Amino acid sequence: MEKFNSFFSNKNTISDISAQDVSQTENYLEVAKAFAKLTYQSIYIIDYEKRGFEYVSDNPLFLCGLTPKDVELLGYDFYFKYVGEKDLNLLLKINQIGFDFFDNLPLEQRKNYTISYDFSIINDKKNSILINHKLTPLFLNEEGKIWKAMCIVSLSPNHSSGNIIISDTHSENIFEFNLETDSWERKQKVKLSDRETEILSLYAGGLTINEIAEKIFISSDTVKFHRRKLFEKMGVDNITEALSYATHNKLI
């Protein structure tokens, strides 16, 4: 029970929901369900007042062999059952630093922010899968605390757990948490040139280097040059990782 409660920061404890708070939520679950039909990603919604999951989509990635209803009923116990101890402790750490960060934001900006991080879950075949987890506030109560949040889960483009990033939709900066120094570091979002975006989009369409070169009237060596620059900007080693990174970070 002590570890379970560690997922719920005292800074975001919600004990009372007003009529005005409730008025925000009319029919919003129907929107979430419709969105779930349109994406390959897993979606679930956290209710911080009830300290559980309000909705879980039927994408199998996050279900670990269970039904959506099973995961919904498990709520935060899901993590204790399907996340190893090392990554479970990481999640508790992320929970703490995330709410500390959020608590220092101006009330009017809080819904602009998303936290993203990677951890491993154990699927129904007892295999460990590294997933990327994004959480963003849906509704705040009158005091500005997160009442409900949407979580989006997909396969991680990275190779290890962590990679904790907070981003603001209205800013060119991101905040990356350094686990070694136990501090946030401000960095700039990756920016692609028009040519890099074009080449990456053509790669996503399945074209080869020669086909891309012919289509946009440049040499194959120039395509390779832009591809190397893409890899450097993203910190990846191949085009598959670059496409995954670009998708996760909404670059294409």
Side-chain angles (χ1 to χ4, degrees), residues 130-186:
L130 188 66
I131 60 172
N132 175 259
H133 189 278
K134 291 183 174 66
L135 183 152
T136 192
L138 280 176
F139 301 109
L140 309 180
N141 71 355
E142 289 182 324
E143 297 174 331
K145 296 178 180 179
I146 300 176
W147 174 22
K148 298 178 190 286
M150 176 177 282
C151 302
I152 297 179
V153 180
S154 56
L155 289 173
S156 171
N158 299 305
H159 303 294
S160 59
S161 300
N163 311 303
I164 309 160
I165 294 172
I166 287 180
S167 58
D168 173 3
T169 54
H170 301 302
S171 173
E172 294 302 317
N173 296 317
I174 61 172
F175 296 89
E176 186 172 334
F177 192 79
N178 188 321
L179 288 166
E180 293 184 1
T181 62
D182 202 39
S183 61
W184 291 101
E185 299 173 354
R186 185 194 297 263

Side-chain angles (χ1 to χ4, degrees), residues 19-167:
Q20 182 175 338
D21 292 332
V22 172
S23 69
Q24 303 177 78
T25 66
E26 185 176 0
N27 296 326
Y28 91 96
L29 275 180
E30 296 306 312
V31 177
K33 291 174 184 177
F35 175 53
K37 295 176 185 176
L38 300 174
T39 180
Y40 67 93
Q41 299 163 314
S42 294
I43 296 169
Y44 68 102
I45 292 172
I46 298 172
D47 185 320
Y48 284 98
E49 182 207 8
K50 297 179 180 176
R51 299 194 168 194
F53 299 165
E54 184 171 18
Y55 166 73
V56 179
S57 71
D58 60 4
N59 184 300
L61 174 64
F62 187 63
L63 299 181
C64 297
L66 305 176
T67 67
K69 194 64 179 178
D70 290 335
V71 177
E72 189 178 316
L73 291 172
L74 278 171
Y76 274 80
D77 284 335
F78 172 86
Y79 297 124
F80 292 94
K81 189 171 183 179
Y82 292 99
V83 178
E85 183 177 0
K86 182 178 179 182
D87 274 12
L88 184 61
N89 288 330
L90 173 66
L91 292 182
L92 295 173
K93 173 71 174 180
I94 292 169
N95 187 71
Q96 173 203 331
I97 62 174
F99 278 117
D100 286 347
F101 186 101
F102 185 84
D103 193 56
N104 288 316
L105 294 173
L107 295 182
E108 69 276 8
Q109 295 180 18
R110 292 184 176 184
K111 289 177 72 173
N112 297 338
Y113 283 78
T114 296
I115 185 168
S116 170
Y117 47 91
D118 299 324
F119 65 96
S120 292
I121 56 174
I122 302 165
N123 67 10
D124 56 324
K125 297 179 181 178
K126 307 305 179 186
N127 296 320
S128 181
I129 301 175
L130 188 66
I131 60 172
N132 175 259
H133 189 278
K134 291 183 174 66
L135 183 152
T136 192
L138 280 176
F139 301 109
L140 309 180
N141 71 355
E142 289 182 324
E143 297 174 331
K145 296 178 180 179
I146 300 176
W147 174 22
K148 298 178 190 286
M150 176 177 282
C151 302
I152 297 179
V153 180
S154 56
L155 289 173
S156 171
N158 299 305
H159 303 294
S160 59
S161 300
N163 311 303
I164 309 160
I165 294 172
I166 287 180
S167 58

